[in-house]
Amino acid sequence: MSEMKEICSIINQRLLLVLDVALYKIHHNQPIEDILQEKRILVHSKYVAYKHGLNEESLANFFNMLMVAAKLVQYRYFAQTLICQDVVDVQLVRDLNGNVRPALNKLGQQLINLIKQKLETSGPFTENEWDQFIRMTSNDSLSDAEKRYLFESLKQIRLNDEE
């Protein structure tokens, strides 16, 4: 499997998992936006970038765009739930801190490893990879323009020794 295919697969898995986050938040009457959690993720992404020899700001920017995409998916799911007046089935609600966030963290680590591997073997992401990215990023809750912002942030990630 190509690096881009694997990266897109993980992005898709993360965006699918955020539906579990939304379901949990709907059930527990919590807001979609969690500023403290987002700050923790960005601080951690910079730390992980440093440890992996990646530019801290560029990786944090990418994770910020992933969080923006995740919130868009959650808001749209929340709106759909309200419109359909679906009652949240308690049995479908997964434990946010015990199950969902650890799974998101694991996928995040896999994503960072793949990005680093790609940068080391074939250099930064380029515009030539856009067609593959848009085809393989399958979440229908995001528009092509929103996927474009995510791709642009991916293109900016660099190794620490690059400009």
Side-chain angles (χ1 to χ4, degrees):
M1 184 183 290
S2 75
E3 290 158 338
M4 181 57 91
K5 189 173 184 177
E6 289 181 74
I7 288 167
C8 290
S9 174
I10 290 174
I11 290 171
N12 289 332
Q13 289 174 59
R14 284 181 60 91
L15 292 174
L16 191 58
L17 264 178
V18 299
L19 294 177
D20 286 324
V21 175
L23 197 59
Y24 180 91
K25 289 178 177 181
I26 291 167
H27 179 70
H28 290 91
N29 292 319
Q30 294 180 350
I32 297 299
E33 195 162 31
D34 183 346
I35 300 296
L36 290 176
Q37 179 64 15
E38 291 176 30
K39 285 182 181 180
R40 281 191 290 271
I41 291 168
L42 292 177
V43 167
H44 184 70
S45 71
K46 287 180 180 183
Y47 171 74
V48 172
Y50 174 77
K51 284 186 66 171
H52 284 77
L54 297 169
N55 177 275
E56 296 170 34
E57 291 304 317
S58 65
L59 189 68
N61 183 54
F62 172 69
F63 271 88
N64 187 54
M65 290 309 300
L66 270 177
M67 288 187 291
V68 167
K71 286 188 286 187
L72 288 170
V73 170
Q74 289 179 65
Y75 279 119
R76 289 171 181 150
Y77 181 72
F78 185 78
Q80 179 185 7
T81 302
L82 285 177
I83 290 168
C84 298
Q85 296 183 347
D86 290 341
V87 176
V88 175
D89 183 348
V90 177
Q91 294 178 338
L92 296 177
V93 178
R94 295 177 58 200
D95 180 45
L96 186 62
N97 293 315
N99 297 109
V100 181
R101 284 192 176 140
L104 286 168
N105 292 340
K106 183 178 178 183
L107 288 171
Q109 187 59 53
Q110 291 172 345
L111 189 56
I112 291 166
N113 290 338
L114 284 168
I115 289 169
K116 180 181 180 186
Q117 180 181 329
K118 193 268 187 219
L119 293 174
E120 289 177 337
T121 59
S122 57
F125 295 88
T126 67
E127 191 58 34
N128 294 336
E129 294 164 303
W130 166 245
D131 287 339
Q132 186 179 12
F133 181 85
I134 193 72
R135 273 195 327 272
M136 298 174 105
T137 309
S138 61
N139 193 295
D140 293 335
S141 293
L142 296 175
S143 70
D144 287 355
E146 292 160 345
K147 291 176 186 178
R148 180 55 143 172
Y149 281 113
L150 186 57
F151 180 72
E152 288 298 323
S153 68
L154 188 60
K155 282 176 34 182
Q156 299 306 311
I157 301 174
R158 298 288 187 267
L159 295 169
N160 258 341
D161 56 359
E162 297 177 12
E163 289 186 15

